[in-house]
Amino acid sequence: PRYAILSHRWEFPEITFDDIEPLKLALRRTPTQLIPTNLRASAAKIRGACAIAQQQDIEYIWIDNCCIDKSKSEELRYALNSMFKWYRNAVVCYTYFNDVTFDKADEKMFMSDHPNRRGQPSEWFERGWTLQELLAPQNMQFYDKRWKLMGTRNELAVLVGRITGIGAEYLSGRRDLSEASYATRMSWMAGRVTQEVEDIAYSLIGLFDTYLEPMYGEGTRAFVRLQEAIMNEFGRFDESLFAW
């Protein structure tokens, strides 16, 4: 079926797969009192994304924090290796900036309003997993913390490119990601952070169209395995891979 997908920065605690079933009825109702206090920010985000999907006549939406059962290693493995495809196949990806209040489209429109990040772009641009979420979708819409539409990735490709270091031609779809050298694709991850060190490698799987068995606890070895997987997958490969 046609579905929307959400790209967002995780806040803790988030409503997870285990939480979502008992909270379904409460999420459908307006009073926030039905939601535990510590989960209300997450609930508001889920409600906001679902409301936009409804407005756009899209019946389904996929949201990672509450749609992946992390207690099942097989499901987690499948999800990590399928994530890029899921974002690519979505009708639309909603990117939600929880630290941005949009006023007008200008050079400062993505600046964070969080007290600790004044004058800096939204933290969303620094997260590891959001790299593939930025590049995979065919259609991406940006929303501020109030779910006000800021524009689309195609419309704002030049500005987003300045913030991320990614060429606007890749953001707008004028050039396919496969045309970028391995070193170029790796460089897009530079400066980004993840909660788990292994996720720096795992979040790059889709950008190189390869497969990697997740092994949390292996540390930086995950990145070496990613390089090995790319070499084994393609045989003759771009040696710029070793620049990173």
Side-chain angles (χ1 to χ4, degrees):
R2 296 170 68 250
Y3 66 95
I5 201 164
L6 178 67
S7 175
H8 63 109
R9 183 175 68 81
W10 276 48
E11 303 169 86
F12 295 95
E14 285 280 4
I15 291 176
T16 65
F17 181 86
D18 292 331
D19 299 321
I20 195 71
E21 191 63 40
L23 284 177
K24 275 183 179 177
L25 184 60
L27 282 166
R28 291 193 182 102
R29 297 178 178 175
T30 304
T32 57
Q33 292 85 347
L34 296 171
I35 306 289
T37 304
N38 64 333
L39 294 177
R40 287 179 187 173
S42 183
K45 180 165 52 180
I46 292 171
R47 283 173 164 169
C50 290
I52 298 295
Q54 257 188 336
Q55 291 170 19
Q56 298 181 1
D57 198 28
I58 300 173
E59 190 174 356
Y60 295 92
I61 184 167
W62 191 89
I63 302 175
D64 56 357
N65 54 288
C66 57
C67 289
I68 301 174
D69 184 355
K70 289 188 174 183
S71 68
K72 297 178 180 177
S73 58
E74 184 176 343
E75 181 170 339
L76 180 60
R77 181 189 315 117
Y78 182 72
L80 291 182
N81 283 280
S82 303
M83 202 78 71
F84 190 92
K85 179 180 69 176
W86 293 345
Y87 276 88
R88 173 60 56 90
N89 292 342
V91 174
V92 59
C93 175
Y94 307 135
T95 297
Y96 177 69
F97 297 101
N98 71 334
D99 58 350
V100 171
T101 303
F102 176 63
D103 180 30
K104 59 182 178 179
D106 59 19
E107 293 290 317
K108 298 180 179 180
M109 62 185 291
F110 288 112
M111 291 301 176
S112 175
D113 57 17
H114 191 280
N116 296 333
R117 294 188 61 84
R118 297 289 185 191
Q120 299 179 61
S122 170
E123 192 171 357
W124 183 89
F125 290 106
E126 294 182 0
R127 307 306 294 177
W129 283 106
T130 60
L131 175 60
Q132 68 171 1
E133 295 167 12
L134 172 64
L135 292 167
Q138 305 292 323
N139 176 21
M140 175 173 270
Q141 299 170 357
F142 296 126
Y143 292 87
D144 78 349
K145 65 197 305 180
R146 302 164 300 180
W147 286 101
K148 183 176 181 180
L149 180 63
M150 303 170 70
T152 69
R153 183 192 58 202
N154 286 10
E155 293 168 344
L156 300 167
V158 173
L159 178 56
V160 173
R162 290 195 199 117
I163 295 171
T164 60
I166 301 171
E169 65 272 22
Y170 298 109
L171 295 167
S172 65
R174 294 198 307 273
R175 292 187 68 183
D176 190 81
L177 297 178
S178 62
E179 296 180 50
S181 72
Y182 289 177
T184 296
R185 277 178 268 178
M186 290 285 187
S187 74
W188 295 338
M189 181 61 78
R192 290 175 178 260
V193 296
T194 56
Q195 187 180 14
E196 305 294 341
V197 66
E198 296 87 354
D199 283 333
I200 290 291
Y202 303 158
S203 60
L204 283 167
I205 293 171
L207 265 68
F208 292 93
D209 193 22
T210 190
Y211 175 88
L212 201 63
E213 186 80 12
M215 296 170 58
Y216 284 100
E218 66 177 329
T220 55
R221 169 66 183 158
F223 191 80
V224 177
R225 286 202 303 118
L226 174 65
Q227 291 178 307
E228 292 170 348
I230 294 169
M231 288 188 288
N232 293 334
E233 184 84 19
F234 299 106
R236 293 184 63 189
F237 58 90
D238 180 350
E239 292 182 1
S240 71
L241 172 68
F242 297 115
W244 296 85

